[in-house]
């Protein structure tokens, strides 16, 4: 089983839709979690950290479920500009080595 | 531009040749990471530095790969005796002291081994 797993998609949604992605992790000792966004042929950029109590940033909501070992990202009112690949990142171990998922592709169409 | 820079942006080489990539992190960032990314996959951790010390190296990293950060500023990644399987995007990222800090990525070096 991979350390961090994501459904690669693509998720194809119309503008204005609400879409959610999950990311599962295998190591119960994982400590920190993030969502990064990567546009085509560009470098990844931090979208948001994921806190234990859940957190929201505008149209984006991230949640952590430690019992089931997954994190989620919810995007409300999707915009065309949200089209990208969303990477989840998990930090594990004493050295906090970052492990990226393979990413979930989102395509928002008019 | 005070972001992370990488050089070269593209490299085409023949199998068996050595290549070296350079990464210049954001100036006040102490941590520097190297990743490899192939099509359809997320970045795969290779190694990281805290200042000039290389603190962790992936078990997947072949001994043909070596990285340095001699003065705690820029870093180089060398691949010796390149193989076609080394073809990938090599990404560098930097962050402040804490591993929980945001990582800022450079634009990457795209390597093609013929």
């Amino acid at each position: 089983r991979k350390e961090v797993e994501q459904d690669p998609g693509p998720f194809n949604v119309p503008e204005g839709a609400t879409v959610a992605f999950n990311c599962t992790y295998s190591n119960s000792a994982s400590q920190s979690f993030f969502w990064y966004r990567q546009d085509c042929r560009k470098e990844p950029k931090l979208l948001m950290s994921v806190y234990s109590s859940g957190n929201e940033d505008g149209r984006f909501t991230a949640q952590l479920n430690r019992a089931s070992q997954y994190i989620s990202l919810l995007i409300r009112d999707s915009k065309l500009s949200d089209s990208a690949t969303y990477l989840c990142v998990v930090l594990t171990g004493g050295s906090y080595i970052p492990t990226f998922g393979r990413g979930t592709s989102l395509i928002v169409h008019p | 531009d005070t972001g992370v820079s990488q050089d070269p942006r593209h490299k085409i080489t023949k199998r068996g040749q050595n290549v070296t990539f350079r990464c210049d992190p954001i100036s006040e960032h102490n941590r520097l990471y190297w990743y490899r990314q192939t099509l359809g996959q997320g970045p795969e951790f290779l190694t990281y530095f805290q200042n000039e010390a290389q603190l962790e190296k992936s078990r997947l990293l072949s001994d043909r790969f070596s990285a340095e950060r001699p003065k705690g500023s820029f870093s180089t990644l060398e691949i010796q005796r390149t193989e076609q399987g080394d073809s990938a995007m090599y990404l560098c990222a930097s962050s402040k002291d804490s591993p929980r800090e945001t990582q800022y990525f450079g634009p990457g070096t795209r390597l093609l081994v013929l």
Side-chain angles (χ1 to χ4, degrees), chain A residues 2 31-32 34 36 38 41 43-44 46 87 91 95-98 100-103, chain B residues 31 33 35 37 40-43 45 48 56 91 99-100 102-103 105-107 110:
Chain A
K2 286 188 176 180
Q31 295 111 337
S32 299
F34 306 87
Y36 276 71
Q38 186 170 28
R41 296 189 173 275
E43 69 274 19
L46 179 70
L87 299 159
L91 300 189
S95 300
Y96 296 93
I97 299 302
F100 281 75
R102 65 179 297 181
Chain B
R31 293 171 75 95
Y33 299 80
Y35 296 90
Q37 187 174 27
Q41 301 298 317
F45 170 81
Y48 91 89
E56 197 77 30
L91 292 163
R100 294 187 173 96
T102 301
Q103 291 191 34
F105 283 81
R110 188 172 295 278

Side-chain angles (χ1 to χ4, degrees), chain B residues 8 11-14 16-22 64-66 76-83 86 90 109 111-113:
Chain B
K11 179 71 177 179
I12 300 175
T13 191
K14 291 183 179 178
Q17 298 295 305
N18 298 343
V19 294
T20 300
F21 309 143
R22 176 178 170 127
R64 296 183 296 105
F65 287 69
S66 62
T76 58
L77 177 69
E78 181 183 18
I79 309 174
Q80 296 182 326
R81 305 181 303 281
T82 52
E83 301 172 357
D86 296 331
Y90 289 84
T109 294
L111 172 67
L112 177 61
V113 182

Side-chain angles (χ1 to χ4, degrees), chain A residues 2-80:
Chain A
K2 286 188 176 180
E3 287 187 56
V4 179
E5 294 202 61
Q6 293 184 256
D7 179 347
F11 284 62
N12 214 314
V13 303
E15 272 186 290
T18 295
V19 61
F21 314 132
N22 281 348
C23 168
T24 59
Y25 59 95
S26 60
N27 191 330
S28 59
S30 298
Q31 295 111 337
S32 299
F33 310 88
F34 306 87
W35 284 102
Y36 276 71
R37 170 192 169 130
Q38 186 170 28
D39 293 299
C40 188
R41 296 189 173 275
K42 297 287 190 180
E43 69 274 19
K45 292 183 179 178
L46 179 70
L47 179 66
M48 58 197 305
S49 303
V50 185
Y51 302 127
S52 297
S53 55
N55 47 300
E56 189 174 307
D57 183 2
R59 297 181 294 108
F60 299 84
T61 300
Q63 291 194 314
L64 167 64
N65 186 318
R66 284 197 183 274
S68 300
Q69 294 183 203
Y70 73 87
I71 62 173
S72 64
L73 177 67
L74 180 78
I75 306 175
R76 289 181 298 278
D77 188 23
S78 299
K79 311 290 185 193
L80 296 176

